[in-house]
Amino acid sequence: MSYEINQVLPRSFGRLKSSESNISTLVSHLRGVLASLLPRYGLLIAFLVFWQVSSTRGWVNPAIFPPLDVILSALWANLANGALLDDIAISLQRSGTAFAFAVAIGIPLGLFMGQIRAVEQALDPILQLFRQTSALALYPVFILLLGLGETSKIFVIFWATLFPVLLATISGVKEVDRKLIEMARTYGAGPLTIFRRVILPASVPAIFVGLRLSATTALLLLIAAEMIGANKGIGFQVMNAQYNFQIPLMFAAILLLAFLGLAANALLVLLQRRLCRWSQPSR
């Protein structure tokens, strides 16, 4: 009997020490995660907690500012029954088409204007004039010219997203170190080789800055475009929910749009890191 006790007790103490070690490791890991998250997201978390508490306790009118759990419940319910899925697809199609056209036109034109000073001087005044004109102010003009259908909605988003890409590309080309270009010429590189091996790679980080601004602008203009003459889309759902006083659904659609914007920005950041590894700071 004493022999069995002597055998069992060390095993029990060993398991207890192992369990305490695992708990200590877990606590240490959680502290590390909180230490990395709180400096960046602490204020956001505090804001969300304040929203939830103030709404549930009646500090603000819950009919106007519903609790976050009610908003998330409405978002999940409308995603689960498919009510918002068609709106997401249509909105992404509109903004994605406009963004693709902006990239296809803005980057080549920016690379061209950035290298040829005479072309930039000729086109810059009219570009600055159009850039300072709000796309929303021109939306009635686009409707008159293109109708109230999809074309005008896509074009107003394209108009707003073109200029960040175009101007960032021009700026990126103009900021290329001229010593690198002269060095390439010294080694016998031709204009096409200089463009492909020097100018284009050096301009890519600035181009991605413009792409991220354009992606954000596309989603912002999407709401305004879908508020007029649309019967589908996230912007339409925001306005329709507001008209019908479905406030949780309204906030759910706004929250969904924010998530889409964050996802688009994160995707572009990931793509930039993969394509521009040489420009990342060494750690």
Side-chain angles (χ1 to χ4, degrees):
M1 184 69 178
S2 61
Y3 174 77
E4 293 179 355
I5 294 176
N6 291 334
Q7 292 293 323
V8 171
L9 286 178
R11 293 177 183 173
S12 300
F13 284 122
R15 292 174 182 173
L16 182 60
K17 290 181 179 179
S18 176
S19 177
E20 291 177 351
S21 176
N22 292 334
I23 294 175
S24 176
T25 303
L26 179 61
V27 171
S28 177
H29 179 69
L30 290 176
R31 286 178 179 175
V33 171
L34 290 176
S36 62
L37 290 179
L38 286 180
R40 185 170 185 177
Y41 300 105
L43 189 60
L44 176 61
I45 295 172
F47 170 73
L48 296 177
V49 171
F50 176 76
W51 185 336
Q52 175 70 20
V53 172
S54 61
S55 182
T56 52
R57 297 201 173 185
W59 299 346
V60 296
N61 187 355
I64 305 300
F65 292 99
L68 289 177
D69 59 335
V70 176
I71 296 173
L72 292 176
S73 177
L75 177 61
W76 174 254
N78 284 272
L79 287 175
N81 62 24
L84 285 176
L85 295 180
D86 291 339
D87 297 300
I88 294 173
I90 292 173
S91 294
L92 289 179
Q93 181 181 359
R94 288 169 179 160
S95 58
T97 302
F99 180 73
F101 276 112
V103 171
I105 295 175
I107 292 179
L109 183 59
L111 292 172
F112 181 68
M113 291 178 60
Q115 294 182 86
I116 303 178
R117 184 172 180 81
V119 176
E120 182 198 359
Q121 288 180 340
L123 294 180
D124 185 68
I126 191 171
L127 287 178
Q128 294 298 332
L129 175 64
F130 286 153
R131 185 174 72 92
Q132 298 300 329
T133 305
S134 171
L136 294 179
L138 293 174
Y139 193 21
V141 179
F142 298 152
I143 292 176
L144 288 175
L145 294 175
L146 303 173
L148 201 56
E150 291 296 309
T151 306
S152 61
K153 294 177 177 57
I154 293 174
F155 195 83
V156 71
I157 301 172
F158 159 77
W159 186 268
T161 55
L162 173 64
F163 295 104
V165 175
L166 176 60
L167 297 178
T169 304
I170 295 173
S171 177
V173 173
K174 293 174 67 175
E175 291 177 359
V176 176
D177 192 349
R178 295 299 159 183
K179 294 181 180 179
L180 296 176
I181 299 176
E182 294 175 2
M183 184 181 299
R185 287 174 180 165
T186 303
Y187 283 97
L192 183 60
T193 303
I194 292 175
F195 171 76
R196 186 166 53 91
R197 295 294 182 88
V198 179
I199 296 177
L200 184 59
S203 306
V204 169
I207 292 174
F208 267 98
V209 173
L211 291 177
R212 291 170 63 185
L213 289 174
S214 290
T216 303
T217 304
L219 292 173
L220 292 176
L221 264 292
L222 176 68
I223 293 296
E226 291 180 342
M227 286 180 177
I228 302 175
N231 55 10
K232 280 289 185 180
I234 301 177
F236 166 76
Q237 286 295 344
V238 172
M239 291 300 298
N240 187 57
Q242 189 265 334
Y243 287 147
N244 295 304
F245 208 72
Q246 296 174 316
I247 305 302
L249 179 59
M250 182 189 73
F251 277 106
I254 295 173
L255 186 63
L256 179 60
L257 186 70
F259 285 152
L260 292 177
L262 291 174
N265 183 73
L267 183 62
L268 288 172
V269 169
L270 179 62
L271 185 61
Q272 180 181 2
R273 288 176 179 174
R274 288 185 175 275
L275 294 179
C276 308
R277 294 177 181 176
W278 51 269
S279 66
Q280 301 299 320
S282 57
R283 295 181 179 179

